[in-house]
Amino acid sequence: MDSPPPTYSEPAAKNSVSQDGPINKVLDQVIRTPGRQPSPQPTHLSVPGANYHRVLHEEGPGYVAPKFEGREKQMEQVMDQIEEKGFIPPDFVESETSWFYNELGIDDMYFQTETVEAVVNHILSLYAAKVAAYARDDKRLEIRLDKEAVDHAVYIDTSKPGVSVVDGPRYEQRIDEKYLNGSTSADSYRVETFRSAGILPGDKEQQLRCYFVYKCQFANPNPGADETRLDIIGDKRFLQKATNNTKEIYQEIIQTAVARTGPVIEMFEIEGRRDKRLVVAYRQGSAMGMFSALSDLYHYYGVTSSRKYVEQFSNGITIVSIYLRPLWPGVVTANAKHPPIEASIHQIMKEISLLYCIPQNKFQAHFASGRLSLQETIYAHCVWVFVQHFLNRLGSEYTSLSSLLDPTNSVHAELLAKIKRRLRTETFTADYILEIINQYPDLIRSLYLAFANTHYVQTRGEQDDFIPTLSYLRLKVDRVMDDNELKEMITKSVANEHHEMVLTAFRIFNASVLKTNFYTPTKVALSFRLNADFLPAVEYPQPLFGMFLVISSEFRGFHLRFRDIARGGIRIVKSRNREAYSINARSLFDENYNLANTQQRKNKDIPEGGSKGVILLDVHHQDSAKVAFEKYIDSIMDLLLPPTSPGIKDPIVDMHGQPEILFMGPDENTADLVDWATEHARKRGAPWWKSFFTGKSPKLGGIPHDAYGMTTLSVREFVLGIYRKLSLNPATVRKLQTGGPDGDLGSNEILLSNEMYTSIVDGAGVLVDPNGLNQEELVRLAKKRVMISEFDISKLSPEGYRVLVEDTNIRLPSGEVVNNGMMFRNTFHLHAGKQADLFVPCGGRPESIDLGTVSKLIVDGKSTLPYIVEGANLFITQDAKLRLEKAGCILFKDASANKGGVTSSSLEVLASLAFDDAGFVENMCVREDGTVPQFYASYVKEVQETIKKNAALEFEAIWREHQQTGLPRSTLSDTLSVAITKLDEELQKTELWNNIELRRLVLKDALPALLLEKIGLETILERVPENYSRAIFGSYLASRFVYEFGSSPSQFAFFDFMSKRMANLGSQAKSFSGPRITPVFEQ
């Protein structure tokens, strides 16, 4: 174990095997993504093996407690009280008190803080533990002492150096959970802990470990976010006790930590000794459970600590400082052989970043006991998450049923989705999967070796200053099995079929990972780029182009896209309780897939395909949305950007081998986080930072949907279309709306509407007036962006009322009694048909109207709501839509009605790609003083007109097709989307793109006139990636053709369509023969 690190010369094939050990990658042979540009690191790690580690010249712990002048007097009072109690024999009172005061190393801060009675109780407790030890057969001395007051706590425990006790009082976990995890600048605690210098009497292995917890009293509890001066952000006790040397170290580390997303990890040599001082800094709330997990980590590597300090700072930074030393000679631990501390400290530092991602993984017990390494347990944790979402447990019955149904029929597809959801809740729960994996640590080790053999990079061969982690060194000892051998081993080892299914999912995971940041020295969450081919086509008929899985202690998340060039929002899902979390976790991937698929249909007018990202907050981290979002974005960027700074961002094995750009936008719970993502991409050197996120603030070139009503404009176009076709007077139309004046869509719908509102439902409750809600009051709420709870009820008519969710036993003007305001709010939309003609859902959870509830909206075979324009995504299930249309409702679905937002976002992306950085800032970024560039103002207006034009084109196409075919409009919406996207894909594969003149002609029509005028077509084509320009070309032609000729045109329609365009190209028109595109429509 102490020998020099192994070297590897040739790149390994996936799951390759060598009789002499694995063949691994060195830097020059790593499969690299071509053309990726450098990026700075998001976290900081002082590089092990480098020569710039500082040496600490001071002796002692770096803290000096102020001298307690009353110490001797207190000691006399303590002895007097102990004698009075009579529990300790008089001859032993002085020796026991002196041992406590002078031998344990407790500093004066403790004695100054505690009362005489508290000190007496602690001494009596320690003596009682010694007495109890003599009564035990094993004579083992076991001390368990804890005292918790309002502003401080004391814990004392017997401790064997270098060993994590998994069945004891676990005081460190208790300190984490009770005092450290929830730290804020307003409420946080500092910790001091130390090990007694000598062994306990009569016990050769154990020492006392003391923990002292103190509530922080900051010099300034509310400093600026970037404040780093210790005298302002420090705790008063810390400032009083810390030496100048310690303050100097902390000052530098805090300045680094404030500028980072993730942890700062530093190590200091101690002059004249083998001891090391390890210092880790991170943002409060970003690494819960870190304090106790660090103990498990250094114990695994045969190291113990003499002192540890946790310091909190009011700018939101936590610093953990640990004094590490080798174990005493002769101390036996689970791993009998350990490298010297000079080597293991580097391994510990390297793995702290991994620990930071998931401080307390689901297999922590195997790690604490030394059975598995940190890497093996975190790998198992990640696959445990993977298994929950992808274990195929639907069975042959589902396959048979799906073969009988038509997957292109949206009703059949939705029915299958519901059956699938039901089947998946029956057998494999997360706890059951965990129980199975826990039984096979040896299999985990072998499966991990196969994973490591593919993705671990030995960056500089023999010159690599990093010593491989212990789990990786096993690659030189344990033979790496190929997939067939692993399959055979699993079959022979497992107890039953269920166990085999779970362990086989590990093999699927290994085979699917194309790249990962697992071995990147600095990271904030674990990200995996997966090949989605393992998804069964019968369950997921539309193949994914790309899949990212991201895991940390605060969340799990996916990013799915259906095309290389794709765009969609990132949403954060919160759960009210554990039951809601279980439901959300089970449906996470399917909901993400369906949302991305809906986005794919919605994006029919634009070059980007559909994508979506969903972040599910862990049940214990519901207040960690910002932390989770930042980790999600940064870890995905690890896989999009190239490495820099050896030891900070090392190369990764990239089996995808192609550059990738993701286009993202805001969604539920992420609108206020978009600016951070944009700035972070710029800081990390991403060349595409301008286009990375849409929905950013105007000062970063964003076009906010809510400020300009982008989504509402397309919804309104469908509403106005109905009025136009049916010659309705909007002022006489009674309107119901879910999603109130506080939301983006809801507020803008109110501001743009001219109907008579009779009902509004939002998060606060229900507002009703059959005579029409006061329009001026609604506009006031919409402009203020507040809920209906702020509506002035004096402006309601005698028949009007408001019921808030917290209300109970409310009598309505009709005499009806509402027992529960929450239930009334949740179901009101199902009973409002009698007093509304038009329903526009602008908010609400998916599937608020499904096949089971739609009957409440149908009376005597007729829909109680004549018109519905679905603004909110997935508000009504497809089968419910068809029932409503059959009952006479004129209904336009979400994928058609609310596409204005995606059109706006696409044109925002296009502008960011077309301008260079300087031009972008000049023309698209609103100034700090609020000055709007003239180009920006004009461009926004052009975007709004484009949205209305696209919505009108689709409305007319659906209305015309319905009149011609009689097919439901919600079905035609999907049919048109499929026709456009399929034709788009076929057009991009034809040689039409190679016709330069045709390309220029189409792009001149497709691109915004203002961009063409400002930048010029040639410059745009130079700056915009070719695959993006090709996507613009295909989507524009496809959408215009289908909107004009419908989803089932004649075989000569496209020839006619293109001939008109080619006529402007002179002689080239004669040579146009057109691609064979009829298969798109022969369905």
Side-chain angles (χ1 to χ4, degrees), residues 213-269:
V213 183
Y214 301 102
K215 188 174 179 63
C216 291
Q217 296 178 338
F218 293 115
N220 181 353
N222 300 298
D226 298 324
E227 181 61 70
T228 59
R229 288 171 292 177
L230 284 188
D231 57 332
I232 292 177
I233 62 176
D235 165 70
K236 292 178 181 178
R237 274 197 180 90
F238 164 76
L239 294 173
Q240 190 178 27
K241 293 182 68 174
T243 62
N244 289 334
N245 187 64
T246 293
K247 290 178 182 176
E248 180 186 326
I249 291 170
Y250 280 25
Q251 183 69 71
E252 291 183 19
I253 286 174
I254 283 176
Q255 287 171 345
T256 307
V258 165
R260 305 289 182 206
T261 311
V264 176
I265 306 162
E266 289 274 12
M267 186 268 285
F268 301 87
E269 309 280 355

Side-chain angles (χ1 to χ4, degrees), residues 215 293 319 328 348 416 439 726 782 836 838 840 873:
K215 188 174 179 63
I319 295 183
W328 300 332
I348 291 166
L416 283 169
Q439 296 177 41
L726 301 179
L838 169 69
V840 182
N873 282 325

Side-chain angles (χ1 to χ4, degrees), residues 13 188 191 213 231 289 316 345 490 503 623 625 632 649 709 714 779 787 849 939 951 972 1013 1051 1083:
S188 55
V191 180
V213 183
D231 57 332
I345 187 66
I490 289 170
L503 273 302
D623 57 349
Y632 174 89
K649 286 292 179 188
S714 61
V779 168
M787 295 187 186
I849 300 175
Y939 192 65
L972 289 170
E1013 180 184 329
Q1051 296 191 15
Q1083 296 179 33

Side-chain angles (χ1 to χ4, degrees), residues 117-401:
E117 291 75 14
V119 176
V120 168
N121 286 336
H122 291 168
I123 293 173
L124 291 175
S125 299
L126 293 174
Y127 183 77
K130 293 179 185 178
V131 173
Y134 285 104
R136 294 173 55 140
D137 292 338
D138 59 5
K139 304 300 179 188
R140 182 188 172 114
L141 180 60
E142 203 168 72
I143 295 171
R144 303 281 187 263
L145 176 67
D146 61 85
K147 178 204 169 184
E148 296 173 347
V150 175
D151 60 350
H152 70 283
V154 178
Y155 305 94
I156 300 176
D157 187 19
T158 41
S159 169
K160 180 180 175 182
V163 176
S164 293
V165 180
V166 295
D167 56 354
R170 299 177 71 79
Y171 287 140
E172 292 195 354
Q173 285 78 4
R174 190 158 156 186
I175 290 169
D176 264 331
E177 292 167 6
K178 188 161 187 175
Y179 298 104
L180 300 182
N181 287 350
S183 293
T184 64
S185 58
D187 183 25
S188 55
Y189 293 80
R190 62 184 297 271
V191 180
E192 298 181 19
T193 171
F194 57 85
R195 185 178 295 281
S196 60
I199 60 174
L200 290 171
D203 195 320
K204 295 180 180 179
E205 292 188 335
Q206 297 205 103
Q207 297 172 299
L208 274 189
R209 182 105 218 175
C210 304
Y211 301 87
F212 302 98
V213 183
Y214 301 102
K215 188 174 179 63
C216 291
Q217 296 178 338
F218 293 115
N220 181 353
N222 300 298
D226 298 324
E227 181 61 70
T228 59
R229 288 171 292 177
L230 284 188
D231 57 332
I232 292 177
I233 62 176
D235 165 70
K236 292 178 181 178
R237 274 197 180 90
F238 164 76
L239 294 173
Q240 190 178 27
K241 293 182 68 174
T243 62
N244 289 334
N245 187 64
T246 293
K247 290 178 182 176
E248 180 186 326
I249 291 170
Y250 280 25
Q251 183 69 71
E252 291 183 19
I253 286 174
I254 283 176
Q255 287 171 345
T256 307
V258 165
R260 305 289 182 206
T261 311
V264 176
I265 306 162
E266 289 274 12
M267 186 268 285
F268 301 87
E269 309 280 355
I270 297 183
E271 187 176 38
R273 303 209 304 270
R274 296 179 67 195
D275 295 17
K276 315 291 178 187
R277 185 176 183 182
L278 184 66
V279 184
V280 183
Y282 52 89
R283 295 182 184 274
Q284 289 175 346
S286 68
M288 298 190 185
M290 188 74 164
F291 175 62
S292 56
L294 282 167
S295 298
D296 292 337
L297 177 59
Y298 60 71
H299 287 164
Y300 182 83
Y301 284 104
V303 175
T304 189
S305 64
S306 56
R307 284 180 173 268
K308 295 189 284 191
Y309 298 89
V310 180
E311 300 294 355
Q312 309 285 359
F313 297 90
S314 59
N315 65 347
I317 298 295
T318 298
I319 295 183
V320 182
S321 181
I322 307 174
Y323 288 80
L324 296 173
R325 59 175 50 163
L327 289 176
W328 300 332
V331 173
V332 179
T333 63
N335 293 323
K337 295 180 180 179
H338 295 289
I341 191 171
E342 290 76 13
S344 59
I345 187 66
H346 294 163
Q347 299 171 346
I348 291 166
M349 291 178 68
K350 200 175 177 186
E351 294 204 6
I352 284 174
S353 181
L354 188 61
L355 192 69
Y356 174 82
C357 298
I358 309 177
Q360 300 288 337
N361 71 73
K362 287 293 182 179
F363 303 92
Q364 193 79 12
H366 284 299
F367 174 46
S369 67
R371 183 84 183 265
L372 292 173
S373 72
L374 178 68
Q375 292 186 2
E376 288 161 344
T377 55
I378 289 186
Y379 161 79
H381 178 101
C382 292
V383 185
W384 168 72
V385 172
F386 174 86
V387 171
Q388 292 173 55
H389 298 290
F390 299 118
L391 190 60
N392 184 0
R393 47 194 182 272
L394 300 183
S396 57
E397 294 86 353
Y398 176 86
T399 306
S400 300
L401 178 61

